[in-house]
Amino acid sequence: MHEPAPVVIEFTHAGATLIAEERGAGHPVFVLIHGIGMGRKVFAGLIDILATYGRVVAIDQPGYGDAPEPARTLTMERTADLLAAYLRSRAHAPVVVIGHSMGTQVATELTVRHPALVERLVLVAPTVDVSARRAAPQLWRLFRDLAPENPLVLYRGAREYLRAGPNLRRKLHAMLAHRPELAYPRVVVPTLVIRGADDQVCPRSWCTTVSATI
């Protein structure tokens, strides 16, 4: 039996557009939210795995991947509202939300602003550590994190960053301006916080704070 082809949907709400790729069927519904400079394609391997357990929805946030650049860079809160509108339009609630890096900020806002939509939350390498909420420390940590990486990984990452367009600086500002630590105490669903053992961008002390605050 052949697996149905992915469904790719362009969804516009309140002046911003996201791209959603859906695979699999049934429940649970897993929603994958990428980090800054990335897109849904970074989750290719994870999509293959999760699609055997339920439906997977991987998105390109506005201005990333295949999604068009919005007139104004969205805040984390507005991106969460856009995603909530999409999930309601597809009757996908409740969902398991999996955010990576900046995507954890959107995932957290989705959870606290639209609680009826989310049944589980997964935060992979959550940003932004309150002790380094400035561009320079974040970029230095990223450099240290990427230095030992496989050249193929670096190539793919650089390609996605280039696709994110000329407004990456504004997008970085939106990420750094957000205060996820104010939202964490309002999360009431079961939550898993994950980091890589050698992750330079997301220190263990910050993940401990995040999990303790939720």
Side-chain angles (χ1 to χ4, degrees):
M1 183 174 180
H2 295 290
E3 181 183 337
V7 176
V8 179
I9 300 169
E10 182 175 300
F11 178 80
T12 300
H13 174 77
T17 300
L18 62 76
I19 301 293
E21 179 178 331
E22 300 194 3
R23 289 255 311 270
H27 194 83
V29 178
F30 302 97
V31 177
L32 309 183
I33 310 175
H34 62 80
I36 191 167
M38 298 287 108
R40 72 184 192 276
K41 295 187 186 333
V42 302
F43 290 122
L46 182 58
I47 292 171
D48 289 342
I49 295 170
L50 293 180
T52 65
Y53 294 94
R55 180 175 293 272
V56 184
V57 180
I59 70 163
D60 288 335
Q61 299 181 52
Y64 295 94
D66 296 325
E69 193 73 39
R72 297 183 62 184
T73 299
L74 271 63
T75 62
M76 303 298 106
E77 293 89 345
R78 189 177 170 204
T79 302
D81 292 344
L82 170 63
L83 180 53
Y86 176 77
L87 295 175
R88 290 192 179 100
S89 76
R90 299 285 291 170
H92 278 335
V95 301
V96 178
V97 184
I98 304 172
H100 172 246
S101 191
M102 183 191 75
T104 64
Q105 296 173 245
V106 176
T108 301
E109 289 296 341
L110 176 68
T111 302
V112 300
R113 293 169 71 85
H114 306 276
L117 296 181
V118 180
E119 62 178 351
R120 298 284 190 276
L121 176 63
V122 181
L123 305 177
V124 183
T127 52
V128 177
D129 178 7
V130 294
S131 69
R133 190 179 281 125
R134 300 186 313 280
Q138 287 297 311
L139 292 172
W140 172 241
R141 286 182 177 186
L142 181 62
F143 172 78
R144 290 168 54 203
D145 199 51
L146 293 176
E149 276 290 358
N150 183 295
L152 181 59
V153 173
L154 295 177
Y155 166 74
R156 289 174 175 169
R159 184 176 58 185
E160 291 298 321
Y161 268 84
L162 289 174
R163 293 178 71 196
N167 296 319
L168 199 54
R169 183 174 181 179
R170 288 190 347 212
K171 295 169 183 175
L172 177 62
H173 179 267
M175 182 186 85
L176 296 176
H178 181 243
R179 301 283 301 277
E181 69 275 11
L182 300 182
Y184 291 144
R186 296 161 55 200
V187 174
V188 296
V189 300
T191 303
L192 178 64
V193 181
I194 304 174
R195 69 177 288 273
D198 299 320
D199 191 336
Q200 301 295 319
V201 179
C202 181
R204 180 172 181 168
S205 59
W206 168 238
C207 284
T208 300
T209 298
V210 172
S211 60
T213 306
I214 292 174

